mmCIF file of all heavy atoms in Angstrom:
data_model
loop_
_atom_site.group_PDB
_atom_site.id
_atom_site.type_symbol
_atom_site.label_atom_id
_atom_site.label_comp_id
_atom_site.label_asym_id
_atom_site.label_seq_id
_atom_site.Cartn_x
_atom_site.Cartn_y
_atom_site.Cartn_z
ATOM 1 N N GLN B 1 4.690 152.569 204.106
ATOM 2 C CA GLN B 1 4.405 152.310 202.696
ATOM 3 C C GLN B 1 4.090 153.635 202.012
ATOM 4 O O GLN B 1 3.411 154.478 202.568
ATOM 5 C CB GLN B 1 3.190 151.377 202.551
ATOM 6 C CG GLN B 1 3.380 150.036 203.191
ATOM 7 C CD GLN B 1 4.387 149.177 202.445
ATOM 8 O OE1 GLN B 1 4.549 149.300 201.234
ATOM 9 N NE2 GLN B 1 5.079 148.335 203.163
ATOM 10 N N SER B 2 4.599 153.782 200.807
ATOM 11 C CA SER B 2 4.245 154.988 200.077
ATOM 12 C C SER B 2 2.812 154.824 199.585
ATOM 13 O O SER B 2 2.429 153.770 199.094
ATOM 14 C CB SER B 2 5.190 155.206 198.903
ATOM 15 O OG SER B 2 5.128 154.106 198.039
ATOM 16 N N THR B 3 2.039 155.853 199.752
ATOM 17 C CA THR B 3 0.645 155.809 199.350
ATOM 18 C C THR B 3 0.554 156.094 197.860
ATOM 19 O O THR B 3 1.041 157.123 197.394
ATOM 20 C CB THR B 3 -0.168 156.875 200.117
ATOM 21 O OG1 THR B 3 0.077 156.702 201.502
ATOM 22 C CG2 THR B 3 -1.640 156.757 199.816
ATOM 23 N N PRO B 4 -0.017 155.177 197.104
ATOM 24 C CA PRO B 4 -0.139 155.442 195.668
ATOM 25 C C PRO B 4 -1.061 156.626 195.417
ATOM 26 O O PRO B 4 -2.070 156.771 196.083
ATOM 27 C CB PRO B 4 -0.718 154.147 195.097
ATOM 28 C CG PRO B 4 -1.260 153.391 196.250
ATOM 29 C CD PRO B 4 -0.593 153.911 197.491
ATOM 30 N N LYS B 5 -0.661 157.452 194.469
ATOM 31 C CA LYS B 5 -1.479 158.613 194.140
ATOM 32 C C LYS B 5 -2.606 158.184 193.212
ATOM 33 O O LYS B 5 -2.401 157.381 192.305
ATOM 34 C CB LYS B 5 -0.627 159.677 193.450
ATOM 35 C CG LYS B 5 0.418 160.260 194.366
ATOM 36 C CD LYS B 5 1.237 161.296 193.629
ATOM 37 C CE LYS B 5 2.300 161.856 194.537
ATOM 38 N NZ LYS B 5 3.167 162.808 193.871
ATOM 39 N N LYS B 6 -3.779 158.751 193.452
ATOM 40 C CA LYS B 6 -4.910 158.453 192.575
ATOM 41 C C LYS B 6 -4.737 159.205 191.274
ATOM 42 O O LYS B 6 -4.366 160.370 191.263
ATOM 43 C CB LYS B 6 -6.220 158.889 193.236
ATOM 44 C CG LYS B 6 -6.671 157.995 194.340
ATOM 45 C CD LYS B 6 -8.049 158.407 194.796
ATOM 46 C CE LYS B 6 -8.596 157.453 195.820
ATOM 47 N NZ LYS B 6 -9.926 157.839 196.261
ATOM 48 N N ARG B 7 -5.007 158.510 190.203
ATOM 49 C CA ARG B 7 -4.979 159.161 188.895
ATOM 50 C C ARG B 7 -6.375 159.649 188.578
ATOM 51 O O ARG B 7 -7.342 158.939 188.740
ATOM 52 C CB ARG B 7 -4.537 158.190 187.808
ATOM 53 C CG ARG B 7 -3.061 157.884 187.868
ATOM 54 C CD ARG B 7 -2.643 157.153 186.644
ATOM 55 N NE ARG B 7 -2.713 158.059 185.492
ATOM 56 C CZ ARG B 7 -2.370 157.717 184.283
ATOM 57 N NH1 ARG B 7 -1.950 156.503 184.031
ATOM 58 N NH2 ARG B 7 -2.455 158.573 183.291
ATOM 59 N N HIS B 8 -6.440 160.867 188.151
ATOM 60 C CA HIS B 8 -7.727 161.399 187.732
ATOM 61 C C HIS B 8 -7.971 160.950 186.299
ATOM 62 O O HIS B 8 -7.063 160.931 185.477
ATOM 63 C CB HIS B 8 -7.724 162.932 187.807
ATOM 64 C CG HIS B 8 -7.494 163.438 189.187
ATOM 65 N ND1 HIS B 8 -8.384 163.231 190.205
ATOM 66 C CD2 HIS B 8 -6.463 164.128 189.729
ATOM 67 C CE1 HIS B 8 -7.932 163.785 191.310
ATOM 68 N NE2 HIS B 8 -6.756 164.331 191.048
ATOM 69 N N SER B 9 -9.193 160.589 186.035
ATOM 70 C CA SER B 9 -9.483 160.173 184.669
ATOM 71 C C SER B 9 -9.435 161.397 183.768
ATOM 72 O O SER B 9 -9.859 162.486 184.133
ATOM 73 C CB SER B 9 -10.851 159.494 184.597
ATOM 74 O OG SER B 9 -11.849 160.377 185.044
ATOM 75 N N ARG B 10 -8.880 161.192 182.604
ATOM 76 C CA ARG B 10 -8.737 162.289 181.650
ATOM 77 C C ARG B 10 -9.542 161.973 180.404
ATOM 78 O O ARG B 10 -9.728 160.815 180.043
ATOM 79 C CB ARG B 10 -7.272 162.443 181.233
ATOM 80 C CG ARG B 10 -6.349 162.801 182.353
ATOM 81 C CD ARG B 10 -4.964 162.922 181.784
ATOM 82 N NE ARG B 10 -3.991 163.194 182.823
ATOM 83 C CZ ARG B 10 -2.703 163.177 182.628
ATOM 84 N NH1 ARG B 10 -2.215 162.898 181.443
ATOM 85 N NH2 ARG B 10 -1.890 163.442 183.609
ATOM 86 N N SER B 11 -9.924 163.017 179.755
ATOM 87 C CA SER B 11 -10.601 162.825 178.475
ATOM 88 C C SER B 11 -9.527 162.497 177.428
ATOM 89 O O SER B 11 -8.358 162.803 177.622
ATOM 90 C CB SER B 11 -11.354 164.099 178.080
ATOM 91 O OG SER B 11 -10.425 165.123 177.765
ATOM 92 N N PRO B 12 -9.904 161.891 176.304
ATOM 93 C CA PRO B 12 -8.921 161.599 175.246
ATOM 94 C C PRO B 12 -8.183 162.859 174.785
ATOM 95 O O PRO B 12 -7.009 162.809 174.472
ATOM 96 C CB PRO B 12 -9.767 160.999 174.122
ATOM 97 C CG PRO B 12 -10.984 160.445 174.807
ATOM 98 C CD PRO B 12 -11.214 161.337 175.994
ATOM 99 N N LYS B 13 -8.899 164.004 174.774
ATOM 100 C CA LYS B 13 -8.255 165.253 174.357
ATOM 101 C C LYS B 13 -7.149 165.619 175.341
ATOM 102 O O LYS B 13 -6.048 166.005 174.943
ATOM 103 C CB LYS B 13 -9.296 166.373 174.274
ATOM 104 C CG LYS B 13 -8.731 167.698 173.832
ATOM 105 C CD LYS B 13 -9.795 168.771 173.797
ATOM 106 C CE LYS B 13 -9.182 170.109 173.433
ATOM 107 N NZ LYS B 13 -10.155 171.183 173.470
ATOM 108 N N ASP B 14 -7.411 165.484 176.659
ATOM 109 C CA ASP B 14 -6.395 165.783 177.675
ATOM 110 C C ASP B 14 -5.184 164.868 177.524
ATOM 111 O O ASP B 14 -4.048 165.295 177.672
ATOM 112 C CB ASP B 14 -6.971 165.631 179.084
ATOM 113 C CG ASP B 14 -7.967 166.736 179.418
ATOM 114 O OD1 ASP B 14 -7.945 167.777 178.737
ATOM 115 O OD2 ASP B 14 -8.747 166.545 180.379
ATOM 116 N N GLU B 15 -5.433 163.576 177.238
ATOM 117 C CA GLU B 15 -4.352 162.621 177.055
ATOM 118 C C GLU B 15 -3.470 163.047 175.880
ATOM 119 O O GLU B 15 -2.250 163.011 175.962
ATOM 120 C CB GLU B 15 -4.901 161.206 176.794
ATOM 121 C CG GLU B 15 -5.433 160.516 178.024
ATOM 122 C CD GLU B 15 -4.336 160.141 179.009
ATOM 123 O OE1 GLU B 15 -3.193 159.876 178.581
ATOM 124 O OE2 GLU B 15 -4.630 160.120 180.209
ATOM 125 N N THR B 16 -4.102 163.460 174.773
ATOM 126 C CA THR B 16 -3.355 163.882 173.590
ATOM 127 C C THR B 16 -2.521 165.113 173.892
ATOM 128 O O THR B 16 -1.341 165.184 173.529
ATOM 129 C CB THR B 16 -4.318 164.174 172.414
ATOM 130 O OG1 THR B 16 -5.096 163.002 172.173
ATOM 131 C CG2 THR B 16 -3.559 164.559 171.162
ATOM 132 N N LEU B 17 -3.104 166.093 174.579
ATOM 133 C CA LEU B 17 -2.357 167.305 174.946
ATOM 134 C C LEU B 17 -1.182 166.964 175.854
ATOM 135 O O LEU B 17 -0.094 167.514 175.704
ATOM 136 C CB LEU B 17 -3.290 168.316 175.618
ATOM 137 C CG LEU B 17 -4.341 168.971 174.726
ATOM 138 C CD1 LEU B 17 -5.291 169.831 175.560
ATOM 139 C CD2 LEU B 17 -3.667 169.808 173.645
ATOM 140 N N GLN B 18 -1.378 166.041 176.776
ATOM 141 C CA GLN B 18 -0.305 165.637 177.677
ATOM 142 C C GLN B 18 0.827 164.978 176.893
ATOM 143 O O GLN B 18 1.995 165.257 177.121
ATOM 144 C CB GLN B 18 -0.846 164.666 178.750
ATOM 145 C CG GLN B 18 0.212 164.133 179.705
ATOM 146 C CD GLN B 18 0.792 165.196 180.605
ATOM 147 O OE1 GLN B 18 0.131 166.179 180.923
ATOM 148 N NE2 GLN B 18 2.035 165.018 180.995
ATOM 149 N N GLN B 19 0.484 164.103 175.953
ATOM 150 C CA GLN B 19 1.503 163.429 175.158
ATOM 151 C C GLN B 19 2.275 164.426 174.298
ATOM 152 O O GLN B 19 3.487 164.333 174.168
ATOM 153 C CB GLN B 19 0.851 162.357 174.277
ATOM 154 C CG GLN B 19 0.358 161.171 175.071
ATOM 155 C CD GLN B 19 -0.478 160.216 174.229
ATOM 156 O OE1 GLN B 19 -0.778 160.497 173.075
ATOM 157 N NE2 GLN B 19 -0.850 159.093 174.838
ATOM 158 N N VAL B 20 1.580 165.406 173.714
ATOM 159 C CA VAL B 20 2.236 166.437 172.907
ATOM 160 C C VAL B 20 3.208 167.231 173.773
ATOM 161 O O VAL B 20 4.345 167.491 173.379
ATOM 162 C CB VAL B 20 1.189 167.362 172.242
ATOM 163 C CG1 VAL B 20 1.844 168.599 171.655
ATOM 164 C CG2 VAL B 20 0.419 166.605 171.178
ATOM 165 N N ALA B 21 2.780 167.590 174.980
ATOM 166 C CA ALA B 21 3.640 168.349 175.889
ATOM 167 C C ALA B 21 4.880 167.539 176.261
ATOM 168 O O ALA B 21 5.996 168.075 176.309
ATOM 169 C CB ALA B 21 2.865 168.748 177.144
ATOM 170 N N GLU B 22 4.723 166.240 176.484
ATOM 171 C CA GLU B 22 5.867 165.391 176.832
ATOM 172 C C GLU B 22 6.839 165.277 175.666
ATOM 173 O O GLU B 22 8.058 165.335 175.859
ATOM 174 C CB GLU B 22 5.373 164.006 177.274
ATOM 175 C CG GLU B 22 4.698 164.014 178.636
ATOM 176 C CD GLU B 22 4.044 162.682 178.984
ATOM 177 O OE1 GLU B 22 4.122 161.733 178.177
ATOM 178 O OE2 GLU B 22 3.457 162.610 180.071
ATOM 179 N N VAL B 23 6.317 165.145 174.466
ATOM 180 C CA VAL B 23 7.171 165.050 173.276
ATOM 181 C C VAL B 23 7.938 166.353 173.094
ATOM 182 O O VAL B 23 9.143 166.346 172.829
ATOM 183 C CB VAL B 23 6.332 164.716 172.015
ATOM 184 C CG1 VAL B 23 7.143 164.899 170.744
ATOM 185 C CG2 VAL B 23 5.804 163.293 172.120
ATOM 186 N N GLU B 24 7.264 167.504 173.260
ATOM 187 C CA GLU B 24 7.932 168.797 173.114
ATOM 188 C C GLU B 24 9.035 168.952 174.165
ATOM 189 O O GLU B 24 10.124 169.427 173.869
ATOM 190 C CB GLU B 24 6.919 169.940 173.235
ATOM 191 C CG GLU B 24 6.025 170.074 172.019
ATOM 192 C CD GLU B 24 4.953 171.148 172.184
ATOM 193 O OE1 GLU B 24 4.834 171.715 173.283
ATOM 194 O OE2 GLU B 24 4.235 171.396 171.203
ATOM 195 N N LEU B 25 8.761 168.514 175.375
ATOM 196 C CA LEU B 25 9.752 168.613 176.445
ATOM 197 C C LEU B 25 10.965 167.744 176.122
ATOM 198 O O LEU B 25 12.099 168.182 176.250
ATOM 199 C CB LEU B 25 9.136 168.195 177.788
ATOM 200 C CG LEU B 25 10.080 168.217 178.993
ATOM 201 C CD1 LEU B 25 10.565 169.643 179.260
ATOM 202 C CD2 LEU B 25 9.388 167.666 180.217
ATOM 203 N N LEU B 26 10.740 166.524 175.675
ATOM 204 C CA LEU B 26 11.843 165.632 175.309
ATOM 205 C C LEU B 26 12.658 166.227 174.168
ATOM 206 O O LEU B 26 13.882 166.150 174.157
ATOM 207 C CB LEU B 26 11.311 164.247 174.918
ATOM 208 C CG LEU B 26 10.799 163.379 176.057
ATOM 209 C CD1 LEU B 26 10.136 162.121 175.506
ATOM 210 C CD2 LEU B 26 11.932 162.997 176.986
ATOM 211 N N HIS B 27 11.972 166.836 173.191
ATOM 212 C CA HIS B 27 12.658 167.450 172.051
ATOM 213 C C HIS B 27 13.552 168.596 172.527
ATOM 214 O O HIS B 27 14.705 168.705 172.123
ATOM 215 C CB HIS B 27 11.642 167.938 171.008
ATOM 216 C CG HIS B 27 12.283 168.577 169.818
ATOM 217 N ND1 HIS B 27 12.999 167.837 168.901
ATOM 218 C CD2 HIS B 27 12.333 169.874 169.408
ATOM 219 C CE1 HIS B 27 13.464 168.661 167.980
ATOM 220 N NE2 HIS B 27 13.066 169.901 168.260
ATOM 221 N N LYS B 28 13.028 169.434 173.426
ATOM 222 C CA LYS B 28 13.813 170.554 173.951
ATOM 223 C C LYS B 28 15.020 170.047 174.732
ATOM 224 O O LYS B 28 16.111 170.590 174.623
ATOM 225 C CB LYS B 28 12.946 171.437 174.854
ATOM 226 C CG LYS B 28 11.969 172.294 174.097
ATOM 227 C CD LYS B 28 11.137 173.133 175.050
ATOM 228 C CE LYS B 28 10.092 173.930 174.299
ATOM 229 N NZ LYS B 28 9.220 174.678 175.212
ATOM 230 N N GLN B 29 14.822 168.988 175.529
ATOM 231 C CA GLN B 29 15.919 168.446 176.326
ATOM 232 C C GLN B 29 17.007 167.858 175.428
ATOM 233 O O GLN B 29 18.186 168.054 175.664
ATOM 234 C CB GLN B 29 15.401 167.370 177.291
ATOM 235 C CG GLN B 29 14.606 167.946 178.440
ATOM 236 C CD GLN B 29 13.996 166.868 179.324
ATOM 237 O OE1 GLN B 29 13.890 165.713 178.929
ATOM 238 N NE2 GLN B 29 13.574 167.272 180.506
ATOM 239 N N SER B 30 16.598 167.143 174.386
ATOM 240 C CA SER B 30 17.597 166.535 173.495
ATOM 241 C C SER B 30 18.313 167.619 172.690
ATOM 242 O O SER B 30 19.504 167.519 172.433
ATOM 243 C CB SER B 30 16.966 165.495 172.575
ATOM 244 O OG SER B 30 16.048 166.098 171.684
ATOM 245 N N ALA B 31 17.626 168.684 172.302
ATOM 246 C CA ALA B 31 18.255 169.788 171.589
ATOM 247 C C ALA B 31 19.268 170.477 172.492
ATOM 248 O O ALA B 31 20.355 170.823 172.079
ATOM 249 C CB ALA B 31 17.203 170.773 171.100
ATOM 250 N N GLY B 32 18.922 170.633 173.742
ATOM 251 C CA GLY B 32 19.835 171.246 174.709
ATOM 252 C C GLY B 32 21.054 170.374 174.933
ATOM 253 O O GLY B 32 22.173 170.853 175.037
ATOM 254 N N ALA B 33 20.853 169.071 174.969
ATOM 255 C CA ALA B 33 21.964 168.144 175.180
ATOM 256 C C ALA B 33 22.906 168.180 173.987
ATOM 257 O O ALA B 33 24.127 168.129 174.153
ATOM 258 C CB ALA B 33 21.437 166.727 175.397
ATOM 259 N N LYS B 34 22.350 168.299 172.775
ATOM 260 C CA LYS B 34 23.203 168.351 171.588
ATOM 261 C C LYS B 34 24.028 169.620 171.583
ATOM 262 O O LYS B 34 25.192 169.606 171.223
ATOM 263 C CB LYS B 34 22.346 168.275 170.316
ATOM 264 C CG LYS B 34 21.736 166.907 170.088
ATOM 265 C CD LYS B 34 20.859 166.932 168.854
ATOM 266 C CE LYS B 34 20.101 165.610 168.730
ATOM 267 N NZ LYS B 34 19.127 165.622 167.661
ATOM 268 N N SER B 35 23.435 170.751 171.976
ATOM 269 C CA SER B 35 24.181 171.997 171.957
ATOM 270 C C SER B 35 25.293 171.968 173.004
ATOM 271 O O SER B 35 26.346 172.531 172.808
ATOM 272 C CB SER B 35 23.262 173.191 172.165
ATOM 273 O OG SER B 35 22.679 173.137 173.439
ATOM 274 N N VAL B 36 25.064 171.266 174.111
ATOM 275 C CA VAL B 36 26.098 171.150 175.139
ATOM 276 C C VAL B 36 27.234 170.297 174.607
ATOM 277 O O VAL B 36 28.393 170.593 174.803
ATOM 278 C CB VAL B 36 25.503 170.539 176.445
ATOM 279 C CG1 VAL B 36 26.600 170.192 177.415
ATOM 280 C CG2 VAL B 36 24.524 171.495 177.068
ATOM 281 N N ASP B 37 26.885 169.214 173.879
ATOM 282 C CA ASP B 37 27.920 168.321 173.333
ATOM 283 C C ASP B 37 28.771 169.057 172.287
ATOM 284 O O ASP B 37 29.960 168.799 172.185
ATOM 285 C CB ASP B 37 27.277 167.096 172.670
ATOM 286 C CG ASP B 37 26.634 166.170 173.693
ATOM 287 O OD1 ASP B 37 27.000 166.270 174.888
ATOM 288 O OD2 ASP B 37 25.774 165.347 173.323
ATOM 289 N N ALA B 38 28.164 169.940 171.536
ATOM 290 C CA ALA B 38 28.885 170.618 170.458
ATOM 291 C C ALA B 38 29.866 171.651 170.965
ATOM 292 O O ALA B 38 30.820 171.977 170.302
ATOM 293 C CB ALA B 38 27.868 171.294 169.518
#
């Protein structure tokens, strides 16, 4: 069985920073995909 990883509790500020980082990463990936398509 795969052992589930424990999640460390984060403060609301950490959660917000994580979400911002994920959005920026998705934006960069989609921009890269568009330039490849063009």
Side-chain angles (χ1 to χ4, degrees):
Q1 299 290 330
S2 59
T3 307
K5 294 180 181 177
K6 285 187 175 180
R7 287 191 69 178
H8 299 295
S9 59
R10 297 180 183 171
S11 69
K13 181 181 176 184
D14 289 341
E15 284 291 330
T16 303
L17 291 174
Q18 177 67 28
Q19 289 171 354
V20 168
E22 288 172 1
V23 168
E24 287 176 354
L25 178 63
L26 287 172
H27 180 70
K28 286 180 184 176
Q29 287 175 343
S30 65
K34 289 177 187 173
S35 64
V36 170
D37 291 340

